[in-house]
Amino acid sequence: MTSSPTDPTRLPLLPPGFVWGASTAAYQIEGAAEEDGKGPSIWDTFVRRPGAVRDGHTGEVACDHYHRLDEDVALMRGLGLDAYRFSVSWPRVLPAGTGKVEPRGLDFYDRLVDALLDAGIQPTPTLFHWDLPQALEDEGGWLNRETAYRFAEFAAVTADRLGDRVERWITLNEPFVHMAFGYAFGVHAPGRALMLDALPVAHHQLLGHGLATAALRAAVPDARVLLANNCTPVRLRPDARSDGDAAAAAAYDTLHNRLFNDPVLTGAYPDLSAYGMTDPGWGGVVRDGDLEIVSAPLDGLGVNYYNPSWVTAPADPAAGLPFDLAEPQETYRRTAFGWPVVPEGLTELLTGLKDRYGDALPPVWITENGCSLPAGQRDPERVDYLAGHITAVADAVARGVDVRGYFTWSLLDNFEWAEGYHQRFGLVEVDFATGRRTPRTSFAWYRDLIASQRP
Ligand code: BGC
């Protein structure tokens, strides 16, 4: 037995009943992009755009999970997972986004749910992890309010089929990242570079979240509904001096965190005047009654955490945004992506949510957390990363935050969006030429951690 700080038996114990999980997403792992009647998604389109994805990689085959479901569930069983977070591909279920249902698409998730339950693993589906049906994008995507209603239709169809066995549901994954990367900067699908004109995408996604929540509860009376937000503690650099820096940090916090947490938890949008938005109705985007739908009580807030953000006043205020993202002055270890490794940022984030929302904060679930590292089966850096962040969760719990579960990103190496297969986040290494899976050192560590956390 080792006595290193990463020895799983030395980590603090999370409360009884704490749920240990792993996360993936449909487009990142499934492959089978045109199989069994699946319609195209915006990612199927975007990956064909020259230069959009590093080295022209696509998710056409990905981890081939669509054909390797049993093998992958066996891996999860080997880990001893309590829960598995996957996403349901909307265009697999509704190839045109609305209307005609493709039963073979639903059959796949039906089999997955049964296999998970057989393995003692709670299925935790996310309904939207960025793969919008292309047919809906052709009608404006999330810029079009109608998409919110189509999302509720998709939620109802899926819940109708799986709701007899699935209790915990996640509506959207990271509406901030989808708005910012997909619609404001155009580095993700659908590749629109609208900058601040992308704001309606925030509201339409959140409206979709609220409508889908109602649809899930109508179909599954004991449904537990979560929203998974990407959250970041916003930090000033130690050399920050001016009020301008503090105002920039507040503006970034508003855009990244509060825009997506406030309406859901408090029923009101934050002040967006730093973004030139002074009309509470956003020029007709936010309509009477919408915020009641958006703020339907949640059973849990999903938090995806990777790192803090450092912000300064914009060097060029005329450039359009009220902040600049900056590099930290401190030296941190970095992941292969170059992201700083700051486990205590997760404690800061969680206690900050509690301070901000108080009793309006529902139980929190860490729905993603992990790191990309170079290829290879020995990954002590990932073990360090996980141990540090899980300890940070335990610290937040000790300080009064009600955290119910932790899902690591990710079970498998997978298609990392604009980075293609270059960033590897898996507990399991995937050889993308052959599909072969090889559990890493971190897999054994996470298995031992889960076992040592059980009574
Ligand atoms: C997303 C995942 C992604 C991960 C790592 C999150 O923003 O939900 O799909 O793979 O971060 O970049």
Side-chain angles (χ1 to χ4, degrees):
M1 164 125 4
T2 67
S3 62
S4 84
T6 58
D7 176 349
T9 62
R10 289 192 42 184
L11 258 62
L13 279 183
L14 275 297
F18 193 86
V19 171
W20 295 98
S23 287
T24 63
Y27 189 74
Q28 297 183 270
I29 67 165
E30 285 179 2
E34 293 180 11
E35 219 164 303
D36 288 343
K38 178 182 162 291
S41 81
I42 54 173
W43 273 94
D44 293 307
T45 307
F46 186 70
V47 295
R48 291 203 198 101
R49 192 191 272 191
V53 176
R54 221 170 129 189
D55 290 339
H57 290 169
T58 81
E60 237 171 304
V61 177
C63 305
D64 199 24
H65 169 74
Y66 194 75
H67 300 112
R68 291 172 178 259
L69 174 166
D70 292 318
E71 183 182 353
D72 291 339
V73 174
L75 284 165
M76 297 177 217
R77 189 199 284 265
L79 268 175
L81 291 186
D82 294 316
Y84 171 53
R85 173 180 177 232
F86 57 97
S87 81
V88 179
S89 158
W90 184 345
R92 227 182 250 302
V93 173
L94 289 160
T98 178
K100 198 182 141 298
V101 174
E102 173 50 75
R104 290 171 295 177
L106 282 171
D107 289 347
F108 170 71
Y109 297 106
D110 204 88
R111 283 201 306 280
L112 174 60
V113 162
D114 281 346
L116 290 168
L117 291 172
D118 272 356
I121 300 169
Q122 305 151 19
T124 305
T126 301
L127 289 169
F128 182 67
H129 202 126
W130 305 347
D131 48 353
L132 190 78
Q134 180 61 42
L136 297 185
E137 174 59 23
D138 297 342
E139 304 291 317
W142 287 108
L143 289 163
N144 180 351
R145 183 179 169 93
E146 249 327 281
T147 298
Y149 295 88
R150 301 289 72 85
F151 182 57
E153 175 189 342
F154 164 53
V157 166
T158 308
D160 218 41
R161 181 68 177 271
L162 306 179
D164 56 335
R165 286 152 292 154
V166 173
E167 194 182 85
R168 188 184 310 113
W169 296 80
I170 298 172
T171 55
L172 307 172
N173 178 68
E174 300 188 351
F176 167 74
V177 177
H178 190 54
M179 174 191 77
F181 287 17
Y183 287 84
F185 302 123
V187 294
H188 280 182
R192 312 277 305 263
L194 300 171
M195 296 305 284
L196 289 176
D197 290 339
L199 263 183
V201 169
H203 182 63
H204 295 151
Q205 287 184 95
L206 291 171
L207 181 63
H209 155 77
L211 293 166
T213 300
L216 289 168
R217 289 188 174 139
V220 187
D222 55 359
R224 298 270 171 271
V225 184
L226 281 66
L227 166 70
N229 272 340
N230 183 297
C231 299
T232 182
V234 180
R235 292 182 170 184
L236 288 172
R237 290 162 40 114
D239 62 355
R241 300 243 184 281
S242 70
D243 291 351
D245 287 329
Y252 190 69
D253 185 32
T254 294
L255 188 68
H256 192 131
N257 298 311
R258 297 189 56 182
L259 181 58
F260 297 90
N261 288 328
D262 282 18
V264 171
L265 301 179
T266 73
Y269 278 111
D271 174 7
L272 293 172
S273 51
Y275 295 93
M277 181 74 84
T278 45
D279 168 14
W282 299 14
V285 171
V286 181
R287 300 193 189 161
D288 281 353
D290 282 3
L291 280 160
E292 281 79 71
I293 298 170
V294 169
S295 62
L298 273 184
D299 297 294
L301 179 68
V303 166
N304 293 0
Y305 170 74
Y306 288 92
N307 49 254
S309 303
W310 285 265
V311 172
T312 58
D316 174 11
L321 290 174
F323 59 83
D324 277 348
L325 288 173
E327 282 298 318
Q329 286 168 300
E330 303 87 340
T331 308
Y332 292 105
R333 281 175 297 150
R334 299 270 176 169
T335 72
F337 231 132
W339 299 350
V341 178
V342 190
E344 64 280 10
L346 182 50
T347 314
E348 177 186 336
L349 173 67
L350 294 170
T351 55
L353 284 169
K354 182 79 196 159
D355 291 346
R356 178 170 284 163
Y357 297 108
D359 291 343
L361 183 70
V364 172
W365 295 70
I366 309 303
T367 34
E368 283 183 32
N369 174 243
C371 62
S372 72
L373 291 172
Q377 282 146 32
R378 288 193 43 78
D379 56 350
E381 300 89 345
R382 183 170 283 108
V383 169
D384 274 354
Y385 184 100
L386 296 177
H389 286 78
I390 290 166
T391 302
V393 173
D395 288 348
V397 170
R399 291 161 66 176
V401 187
D402 181 2
V403 187
R404 300 286 174 92
Y406 174 91
F407 292 73
T408 191
W409 184 271
S410 180
L411 178 73
L412 304 168
D413 287 343
N414 59 47
F415 176 79
E416 178 49 38
W417 308 116
E419 289 285 304
Y421 296 100
H422 291 289
Q423 302 295 342
R424 293 174 175 267
F425 279 88
L427 299 179
V428 176
E429 177 160 72
V430 177
D431 175 341
F432 292 103
T434 62
R436 191 171 161 197
R437 277 95 164 117
T438 312
R440 296 199 163 100
T441 319
S442 57
F443 180 98
W445 181 86
Y446 197 49
R447 178 197 62 210
D448 293 349
L449 170 84
I450 295 172
S452 69
Q453 291 274 330
R454 295 229 162 94

